[in-house]
Amino acid sequence: MSRTSDLPATGLTPALLGEADRELLLRLLALRTAGPLETGGREPVELWEAQRVYAEAAARLGFRVVHHAAAGPEALTGDQVPLVVREAVRTMPGFLDSQPNMVLRLGPDALPPEATVMFNVHLDTVAGGGPPSFDGGRFHGRGAIDAKGPAVALLAGLRAALESVPGLGTEVAVLIQLVSGEEGGAMGVFGTKVLAEQGYLGRLNVFCEPTGCRVLPRATASMTARLRVEGRDGIDDAPGAGHNATVLLGFLAQHLATVLPPQATDGQVCVAGLHTGDLHNKVYGTGRLLLNLSYGSPAGGEAMERALAEAVRTGLEEFHSRFAGQPLLALTAREAAAITTLEWLKRGLPALGGEDTWAEKLLLDRAGLDPWPPEEPAFTCDAIWLAEVPGISTVVFGPGDLGANQAHAEGEFADLAELDRYAAALTRLLTTFARNRLDQGN
């Protein structure tokens, strides 16, 4: 059980999702907010409306909109922008226009970042998911746990905190970032990254992603590599006359899945996305294999880049050694290195290291929140874009679990009890931050 629920709540109003909160979540779940990278541009994107709906609910707590716009093309320069985003901007009309960001503020503009706590929630989702529903105890629908449910629970926690701490909203400010571009491989480059560069930050910055109501001070970054085989096709009557990309990439996939994971000391290795063709009576000479490599530090990322390059080299050598004597694969084995290319679709992103004693003391010692186990791997989210900003603290903190709650799968859900528990934890976080700041001012 969370330590948060064990602590006395003297002086705190219970933070529970009321009927209006439940209706708000169902309304948000009904809006289609999967971005073009998820849908291929085949569905409307209702992010503008979803952000306005949320802003209307937040306005009842005193929040006002201080920013509501889509990023411009000038934001998508540099090596950190994934190739998939650059290609989408080039080939999809209105790609950025359909994916705005919103910032809500509670408190005077004159309050400095030192007196501000920021919450980041993404309202874009992955594609798919069934119709939204609520059976009295469980919400179903795309975004229920990732991350529309946490967004609504945030308002419940804020409402209770505002009733408990008079200085919250007058002497202590709250920002809410409602971002797009978290899903689909965009890595937040036209969402969180842009807002961070514009200065919409606080002394404490909380990313509302599923962590089981545990404070996670780390976030891995990820890089995506593509192995391409560009050989010559063949026919089934003479399979040895062409290059067999299917066998070559299949072999490399197994090789990389074996040798790379032990070298990923602060991240994960995902071997996926193998494709050559769909027919049975053809030898495909071209194909591709995708890999996603996460890392917890820039040094870890650089090490994995080198490890992948070396693993591809040894894999090609092993393929040649094993199949050079096989008549049907001799041509492929002999020319494997010449027809195989390693490309990077995304790399060089920052990672959040999590070495922050101020946040640990405030959130764990004073607020009594639970820590993320140090031995448990972190995951990738937009919090990486605050890794190199000086003078601030950043944590990931949300309800549920990405896997257990089927965040990117069919049947995504969020339990009302879990959202209530998260709202109560946020109330404690907010009141602790506010009282800490108010004490410093006295």
Side-chain angles (χ1 to χ4, degrees), residues 395-410:
V395 299
V396 187
F397 182 62
D401 178 270
L402 288 169
N405 289 82
Q406 301 169 240
H408 287 194
E410 294 303 309

Side-chain angles (χ1 to χ4, degrees), residues 127-331:
S133 65
F134 177 59
D135 62 8
R138 175 170 289 185
F139 293 93
H140 276 100
R142 184 58 78 219
I145 200 69
D146 187 29
K148 295 176 180 179
V152 173
L154 169 60
L155 293 182
L158 276 161
R159 184 168 56 243
L162 286 168
E163 295 173 0
S164 304
V165 183
L168 187 60
T170 55
E171 298 176 68
V172 175
V174 180
L175 292 176
I176 300 177
Q177 294 183 359
L178 301 169
V179 301
S180 62
E182 202 273 348
E183 303 287 10
M187 298 298 295
V189 293
F190 53 83
T192 299
K193 181 176 183 290
V194 173
L195 297 183
E197 291 171 347
Q198 293 174 351
Y200 292 111
L201 301 173
R203 176 64 180 89
L204 175 63
N205 303 275
V206 181
F207 283 73
C208 303
E209 296 278 341
T211 64
C213 283
R214 298 172 297 177
V215 176
L216 171 59
R218 298 174 280 120
T220 57
S222 65
M223 49 190 177
T224 302
R226 178 170 60 194
L227 281 178
R228 294 186 68 92
V229 171
E230 298 288 344
R232 185 173 67 250
D233 290 349
I235 62 173
D236 57 340
D237 293 311
H243 297 106
N244 198 317
T246 304
V247 177
L248 175 54
L249 287 173
F251 179 87
L252 290 175
Q254 295 181 65
H255 177 76
L256 297 174
T258 301
V259 303
L260 278 180
Q263 302 182 67
T265 57
D266 61 356
Q268 301 289 338
V269 174
C270 177
V271 181
L274 195 162
H275 182 77
T276 55
D278 301 312
L279 299 178
H280 67 281
N281 59 348
K282 180 179 179 179
V283 175
Y284 290 94
T286 62
R288 63 185 183 272
L289 172 68
L290 296 174
L291 298 97
N292 208 50
L293 310 172
S294 64
Y295 53 92
S297 65
E302 294 170 2
M304 285 307 297
E305 284 190 46
R306 295 190 296 270
L308 176 58
E310 177 64 14
V312 170
R313 185 188 68 78
T314 59
L316 291 169
E317 289 180 351
E318 188 173 335
F319 184 86
H320 177 273
S321 175
R322 179 173 299 189
F323 296 107
Q326 298 284 342
L328 297 183
L329 295 170
L331 174 65

